[in-house]
Amino acid sequence: MSRIVKQPDIRRSELLDCAQALFFERGYENTTVNEIIAKAGVSKGGFYHHYPSKEAVLEALAVRLAEQAVERIEDARADSGLDALARLNAFLARARRLKLDDAPRLRAAFDAVFRPENIVLYHRINTASIKVMLPVLVRILAQGQAEGVFKVPDVEAAAEIVLHLGVSTHDAVARAIKASGTDDEDAAIEALDRRLRFHGLVVDRILGLPDGSIQYVEPGFTRAVMTAR
């Protein structure tokens, strides 16, 4: 039987699909290159032709996930009729809507990312996500600065800080996941919701806005995401 030769981008995508499934199922540290190769049905030489290491696969996967997220919220930043504050709130609302829509389908993978053995994957995904999201947020903040609405001495630094707020929720989210189905579930979800609402106030302060200007989270959102099945 002749060997099937696929275009490099198709093969790389297939390798990422297999790696993603294994990383979410077993954890990044517990997945070997040989397991990715076996699942993808490629030779060892074929794998290393596309990726020099497991770390390179992780990096590429993180970038792909971040780029997909940005593509799906493109409409919120493309509306030229919005002022900067409205655009920022629309951007955040669209991101929440996508998380809510995807939660039932991706809950198992979502939970896996917050396992202790997947902490490397969590931080790599967030590092890649911030890199992709940063130019989007910088443009919104620069617009707000030009409009005199946002009062920030350094637009890029402000954007980085805002994006890193999301990363800082790791432990609160992990506690809510661990408490799922137990007597502690309600308290853990409420603690996470308070944390997210506080983040909204922090963004207000960073941008020099009156408290309550940014809707970082809406009533019922945290519970809906954390209880999705």
Side-chain angles (χ1 to χ4, degrees):
M1 182 180 295
S2 60
R3 184 169 63 92
I4 298 174
V5 179
K6 297 184 178 181
Q7 293 294 324
D9 57 338
I10 295 176
R11 180 61 79 189
R12 282 193 293 269
S13 181
E14 290 177 347
L15 284 167
L16 289 183
D17 290 341
C18 294
Q20 178 175 330
L22 288 168
F23 290 165
F24 284 155
E25 176 186 350
R26 304 181 184 182
Y28 170 75
E29 298 293 349
N30 296 328
T31 298
T32 67
V33 168
N34 285 338
E35 287 170 335
I36 297 172
I37 288 171
K39 189 172 183 66
V42 300
S43 66
K44 184 170 289 189
F47 173 88
Y48 285 111
H49 174 72
H50 296 291
Y51 297 106
S53 64
K54 186 175 74 167
E55 290 76 14
V57 174
L58 177 60
E59 196 71 35
L61 175 59
V63 169
R64 186 175 76 167
L65 291 172
E67 289 175 343
Q68 288 172 348
V70 168
E71 287 174 2
R72 296 178 68 193
I73 56 178
E74 183 75 25
D75 56 345
R77 66 182 176 124
D79 189 343
S80 59
L82 298 178
D83 61 36
L85 179 55
R87 173 169 284 123
L88 180 54
N89 274 320
F91 179 82
L92 295 171
R94 179 63 171 161
R96 290 195 302 271
R97 182 74 254 170
L98 292 176
K99 287 179 181 178
L100 195 56
D101 289 345
D102 287 347
R105 179 171 60 88
L106 299 179
R107 182 57 196 263
F110 176 77
D111 288 3
V113 171
F114 285 88
R115 293 175 189 159
E117 65 269 25
N118 275 337
I119 190 67
V120 172
L121 179 58
Y122 175 82
H123 285 297
R124 288 289 185 90
I125 288 174
N126 278 289
T127 296
S129 179
I130 288 173
K131 184 177 180 180
V132 174
M133 292 283 191
L134 185 61
V136 180
L137 189 53
V138 165
R139 284 194 290 272
I140 296 174
L141 298 193
Q143 177 189 346
Q145 189 178 52
E147 293 172 351
V149 178
F150 301 154
K151 302 173 182 64
V152 291
D154 187 326
V155 168
E156 185 163 345
E160 287 181 354
I161 293 169
V162 170
L163 290 172
H164 276 286
L165 283 174
V167 182
S168 73
T169 61
H170 176 276
D171 290 352
V173 174
R175 284 192 293 270
I177 291 173
K178 185 176 181 180
S180 180
T182 72
D183 292 340
D184 297 326
E185 181 178 42
D186 287 344
I189 290 175
E190 177 56 30
L192 175 59
D193 190 67
R194 286 197 304 271
R195 176 69 173 262
L196 294 176
R197 284 187 276 118
F198 179 64
H199 283 186
L201 293 176
V202 171
V203 176
D204 286 332
R205 305 293 176 85
I206 291 171
L207 301 182
L209 295 168
D211 288 357
S213 298
I214 296 298
Q215 189 170 18
Y216 197 84
V217 66
E218 57 202 359
F221 169 78
T222 307
R223 179 168 297 277
V225 171
M226 297 309 301
T227 58
R229 291 291 184 274

